[in-house]
Every structure is written in structure tokens, then in C-alpha cells.
């Protein structure tokens, strides 16, 4: 495996381009439980260029019927990104609000029990506060939305630190 940098700029440009639209290359899951993690995965893919085609536990999208649970499922994406194995695809670690950079992810829990929403960080101001961390998202389509405008019971942050290539 070869390790490479994550192209944060490409991920953010993709997020801005498709925040209020849908890329026709990907199915829109808005009416099947939400499109937020599908959108986040597309942004990450724009910044990584690598999918992991491992059945069940990978991270990939071929078509609406051939995709990994991690491509569209909030907890599955988290589990894939924080995996310990050096397997193909982007990799992340949990971090604090102040460690976020454009292209990273935030996951929100609205009920305090399960995480339901995955916005993509598109801008981080200084000092780093929920008011000046801006996100893009689907399922509540948004671009440059302050994190402080969300109501949630729990929150977690994911810093994408790189990409494993074959």
C-alpha cells in the first residue's frame, strides 16, 4: 500500500458544486432515508480518487444496487474511515472541533443515541467555533451553513488524514 495526501481542495470544490444539486453519476437517496452520507462519500471520493471494493466492509459505489453500506450509511462510513487496517481508500481519525479542516466530516446525532447526518466541512474560520465552521450537506441541502445552526444531541468530528492506494 502507498499512502497519499487527501486533496481537500477537490473535496470542497465538489461539495460547493453539488450542494444544491445532484450529480447524475450517483443515485439520489433523498427519499430512501436521506442523501447526506452519499453526498459526503462523493466529496471524499473527489478528494481521494480511490474506492475500496471489499464486499460488505469496503467503501464503494457502482450503481444504486451495488454499493457498500459505508457509502450511504452514517455509522458504516464512520467505521470504514477509522479502521485500523491499511486497506485501500481514505482514512480518518476522530478529532476535536479545533482540528477540523476543509474536506473533513462532522456527524450529528439528533436523538443522542444514533448518528444520522454527515455534513462536509467547507470552511473553518479562526478562532474555530461552531459559528465559523461552515458545512455543505444533502438532506437539508446546504452550502456554507454554520455548524451552529444545527440542533443536535451529540456530535463527532472526523479528520481525513490521507488515502491508502494499492
Amino acid at each position: 500500500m502507498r499512502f497519499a495526501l487527501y486533496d481537500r481542495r477537490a473535496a470542497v470544490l465538489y461539495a460547493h458544486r453539488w450542494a444544491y444539486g445532484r450529480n447524475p453519476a450517483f443515485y439520489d437517496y433523498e427519499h430512501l432515508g436521506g442523501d447526506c452520507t452519499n453526498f459526503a462519500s462523493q466529496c471524499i471520493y473527489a478528494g481521494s480518487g480511490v474506492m475500496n471494493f471489499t464486499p460488505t466492509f469496503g467503501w464503494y459505489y457502482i450503481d444504486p444496487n451495488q454499493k457498500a453500506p459505508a457509502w450511504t450509511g452514517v455509522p458504516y462510513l464512520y467505521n470504514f474511515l477509522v479502521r485500523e487496517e491499511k486497506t485501500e481508500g481514505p482514512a480518518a481519525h476522530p478529532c476535536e472541533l479545533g482540528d477540523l479542516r476543509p474536506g473533513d466530516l462532522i456527524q450529528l446525532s439528533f436523538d443522542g443515541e444514533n448518528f444520522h447526518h454527515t455534513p462536509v466541512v467547507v470552511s473553518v474560520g479562526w478562532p474555530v467555533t461552531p459559528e465559523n465552521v461552515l458545512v455543505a450537506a444533502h438532506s437539508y441541502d446546504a452550502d456554507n451553513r454554520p455548524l451552529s445552526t444545527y440542533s443536535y444531541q451529540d456530535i463527532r468530528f472526523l479528520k481525513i488524514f490521507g488515502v491508502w492506494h494499492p
Side-chain angles (χ1 to χ4, degrees):
M1 282 287 147
R2 177 178 60 84
F3 189 74
L5 294 177
Y6 173 58
D7 188 343
R8 295 176 177 284
R9 184 174 185 273
V12 170
L13 288 173
Y14 187 96
H16 288 315
R17 167 69 179 89
W18 294 104
Y20 292 111
R22 301 298 187 267
N23 182 338
F26 298 92
Y27 187 77
D28 178 5
Y29 294 92
E30 190 69 36
H31 301 291
L32 294 173
D35 198 55
C36 67
T37 305
N38 176 42
F39 174 69
S41 286
Q42 291 173 44
C43 294
I44 298 167
Y45 180 63
S48 67
V50 177
M51 291 184 188
N52 180 316
F53 292 95
T54 304
T56 309
F57 298 107
W59 177 76
Y60 63 89
Y61 178 93
I62 299 169
D63 63 37
N65 298 311
Q66 298 179 82
K67 63 174 178 51
W71 191 268
T72 55
V74 176
Y76 304 109
L77 176 61
Y78 179 89
N79 290 338
F80 174 77
L81 288 173
V82 302
R83 71 198 181 283
E84 293 186 16
E85 304 83 23
K86 294 178 181 175
T87 57
E88 194 170 359
H93 55 76
C95 68
E96 299 299 320
L97 176 71
D99 299 321
L100 290 174
R101 297 295 171 261
D104 289 335
L105 302 180
I106 296 169
Q107 292 192 322
L108 303 174
S109 171
F110 301 123
D111 63 8
E113 294 180 25
N114 301 296
F115 286 88
H116 305 94
H117 193 48
T118 309
V120 177
V121 177
V122 294
S123 178
V124 179
W126 185 256
V128 183
T129 64
E131 290 75 24
N132 62 25
V133 170
L134 306 180
V135 300
H138 279 183
S139 301
Y140 316 109
D141 290 5
D143 193 16
N144 291 309
R145 179 177 175 176
L147 177 58
S148 62
T149 65
Y150 285 93
S151 295
Y152 52 86
Q153 298 295 312
D154 199 2
I155 189 168
R156 62 187 177 194
F157 310 104
L158 283 168
K159 179 170 214 52
I160 300 175
F161 62 84
V163 183
W164 292 105
H165 289 267

